[in-house]
Amino acid sequence: MLSLNYQYKLKVNKQQASTIDEWLDICKSVYNFALRERKDWVNSRKCPIDRCSLESEYIIPPDAPRPTYARQCKSLGMAKKKFPRLSIPQSQVLQQTLKGLEEAFVNMWNRGFGFPRFKKKMRSFVFPQVKPDCIQGKTITLPKLGKLKLVLSRPIPEGFVPKQVRVIKKASGYYANIILQLDVNVPDVPAHGYPIGIDLGLEEFLATSEGELIKGHKFLKESEGELKLLQGQLKNKKKGSRRWKNISRRIARLYEKITNCRKDFFYKTAHHLCDQAGMIFVEDLNLKALGRSALRKACLDAAWGTFVSILSYVCWKRGVYFAKVNANGTSQICPECGVNCGKKTLSERVHKCPDCGFQADRDVAAAMVVKRRGESTVGATGRKLDQGNDVGDEVSTSSSVTL
């Protein structure tokens, strides 16, 4: 099964926007109530069995079952009789809200995430099932919302059927994330073509094993002055007033612009790299640790994790083999002779091997090490397939594989 996620902007009128906002508010209330129910049950099991706190205590019967996704979904039916407002959204939308809470707890248990928090705003809701013919021309029909106009920035691929729709509220308007599916098996991309290695950095966003250096983006840093000015104005406004809302909207739009500019840069860079090779290897960085280091602000602004995920998708789409390699010691090992030259300070930007005398830019040398490690993981398959071909031949071969 092949799945694609396409996002389109919705052109809604005031009544439709008001309905979507009301649904978001109801979903937020359901999420927070379910989380409160779970927290109360957990806290009631923390107190000692022989005494109670002098201040407050969560008293829940000992035979009360633990609130789970299935039990809370079942209780929605009784809650709708007591609170008719819960009957306004489609029932599956509220069930998906509870499912999101369940996923938050699963991520806490299995992936080490923090305890789920209460939401001040709900920004999206999901229709897990939609009709196959819900998209007609430039409109989409959703349960209880009716027909909504779409800005078809790109056509729906032939043969794909809509399976799920997520309605998202952003600073720039309302959007629909549509999951399209086609019943076909797509094999993994085999190792082939000319390989390149990539080293990610801060001074230069990335360096390739071919010696190319791509200048780093600083979209957040360039907008910090405007953000500081707007946030200073927001601080002096009364919360909830008209001017407070206007400035908050401007701040949200600026953050969205930064995100869009960053994503546009990532996609263009990924396609540029796929034009050059049939195999791309990148470092498997510990992004969680880098996000807590002394350079965390610059690392988070660089958004290496987002770029790597976009690069892997673009490689899959264009038929380029993609793989991650071990990142330990890539800046210490000489790519020419393989000798460990020791650690370098951040100010050392040139790699000089004391054994073989090889000299190159530090990031380029690290990218060459990444390339060698990638070749060792897949063997010499790529070299054997394209022996005798130059880089231009390999590029034309890999570029022709598109979906």
Side-chain angles (χ1 to χ4, degrees):
M1 187 68 69
L2 177 61
S3 298
L4 298 177
N5 192 345
Y6 278 22
Q7 185 176 105
Y8 298 100
K9 188 169 184 178
L10 295 172
K11 295 174 68 176
V12 297
N13 53 37
K14 290 184 178 180
Q15 182 179 358
Q16 292 170 337
S18 176
T19 303
I20 293 175
D21 290 342
E22 186 178 12
W23 283 33
L24 291 172
D25 186 63
I26 295 172
C27 290
K28 181 195 72 173
S29 301
V30 170
Y31 185 95
N32 290 340
F33 181 86
L35 177 57
R36 180 76 269 170
E37 190 177 30
R38 292 194 180 205
K39 288 191 74 171
D40 289 347
W41 189 90
V42 171
N43 291 330
S44 68
R45 268 56 182 171
K46 289 182 179 180
C47 65
I49 60 174
D50 58 339
R51 60 189 180 275
C52 294
S53 171
L54 294 176
E55 297 179 358
S56 62
E57 195 63 82
Y58 295 89
I59 301 176
I60 296 179
D63 57 344
R66 181 175 68 88
T68 60
Y69 167 67
R71 291 193 180 99
Q72 289 182 327
C73 283
K74 190 175 180 180
S75 65
L76 274 176
M78 295 181 291
K80 288 180 180 179
K81 297 178 181 178
K82 190 175 182 180
F83 303 99
R85 188 166 180 253
L86 296 178
S87 301
I88 296 176
Q90 194 209 25
S91 58
Q92 288 184 325
V93 170
L94 298 181
Q95 292 173 5
Q96 289 297 307
T97 302
L98 296 176
K99 189 174 182 179
L101 177 62
E102 178 70 15
E103 291 176 356
F105 275 94
V106 171
N107 289 334
M108 180 189 69
W109 296 325
N110 298 339
R111 301 177 61 182
F113 286 17
F115 197 92
R117 300 181 181 180
F118 294 102
K119 289 186 179 293
K120 293 182 178 179
K121 291 182 180 179
M122 185 70 74
R123 302 190 182 278
S124 67
F125 55 83
V126 183
F127 293 95
Q129 292 178 339
V130 291
K131 293 183 178 180
D133 58 345
C134 66
I135 300 177
Q136 296 291 337
K138 294 185 178 181
T139 61
I140 181 171
T141 304
L142 297 176
K144 283 197 171 184
L145 283 181
K147 288 187 178 182
L148 303 176
K149 291 184 179 180
L150 284 174
V151 180
L152 281 176
S153 52
R154 51 180 171 175
I156 303 293
E158 186 177 354
F160 282 82
V161 178
K163 291 292 183 179
Q164 181 175 308
V165 177
R166 177 182 290 272
V167 178
I168 305 173
K169 182 181 180 180
K170 296 185 179 181
S172 58
Y174 299 89
Y175 294 82
N177 268 14
I178 306 174
I179 294 182
L180 307 168
Q181 288 186 349
L182 179 65
D183 190 8
V184 63
N185 292 325
V186 180
D188 294 333
V189 180
H192 70 285
Y194 187 79
I196 63 171
I198 294 175
D199 177 74
L200 300 171
L202 292 176
E203 187 170 341
E204 303 291 343
F205 179 68
L206 64 83
T208 67
S209 55
E210 305 303 305
E212 182 182 8
L213 297 173
I214 296 181
K215 186 178 179 181
H217 66 86
K218 296 180 180 178
F219 298 116
L220 177 61
K221 190 173 182 180
E222 291 172 356
S223 303
E224 274 186 331
E226 187 175 356
L227 279 173
K228 186 177 180 180
L229 178 63
L230 290 174
Q231 288 168 349
Q233 295 176 358
L234 184 70
K235 183 180 178 181
N236 299 325
K237 299 295 182 291
K238 183 179 179 181
K239 187 173 181 179
S241 64
R242 180 178 58 83
R243 291 185 178 181
W244 183 89
K245 291 180 180 178
N246 289 338
I247 297 175
S248 298
R249 194 177 300 112
R250 290 175 61 186
I251 293 174
R253 286 181 178 176
L254 183 56
Y255 272 116
E256 186 178 345
K257 179 183 177 181
I258 293 170
T259 303
N260 293 338
C261 291
R262 188 185 288 125
K263 189 179 291 186
D264 178 70
F265 171 75
F266 288 164
Y267 271 102
K268 289 179 179 178
T269 304
H271 280 285
H272 172 69
L273 294 172
C274 289
D275 288 338
Q276 305 177 31
M279 294 190 292
I280 294 179
F281 304 106
V282 299
E283 298 173 295
D284 190 8
L285 298 172
N286 186 356
L287 300 174
K288 191 173 182 179
L290 290 170
R292 297 174 178 174
S293 64
L295 299 173
R296 55 186 173 273
K297 186 175 181 180
C299 293
L300 294 174
D301 186 20
W304 293 320
T306 304
F307 171 72
V308 171
S309 63
I310 288 176
L311 178 61
S312 64
Y313 164 72
V314 173
C315 287
W316 169 82
K317 185 178 178 181
R318 298 191 53 176
V320 177
Y321 181 80
F322 174 85
K324 294 181 181 180
V325 301
N326 185 13
N328 293 332
T330 53
S331 61
Q332 304 173 20
I333 298 174
C334 177
E336 192 69 21
C337 62
V339 173
N340 193 326
C341 302
K343 292 185 178 181
K344 302 181 181 71
T345 61
L346 291 176
S347 59
E348 296 180 54
R349 306 312 306 170
V350 178
H351 168 81
K352 296 179 181 179
C353 181
D355 284 14
C356 65
F358 177 76
Q359 183 173 334
D361 184 274
R362 169 183 175 156
D363 297 334
V364 174
M368 295 170 70
V369 175
V370 171
K371 173 184 173 181
R372 290 204 169 193
R373 289 183 179 178
E375 287 178 319
S376 65
T377 58
V378 299
T381 307
R383 293 291 188 184
K384 289 180 181 178
L385 286 175
D386 294 307
Q387 270 186 347
N389 295 342
D390 57 10
V391 179
D393 295 337
E394 292 159 0
V395 169
S396 62
T397 303
S398 63
S399 300
S400 62
V401 184
T402 55
L403 296 175

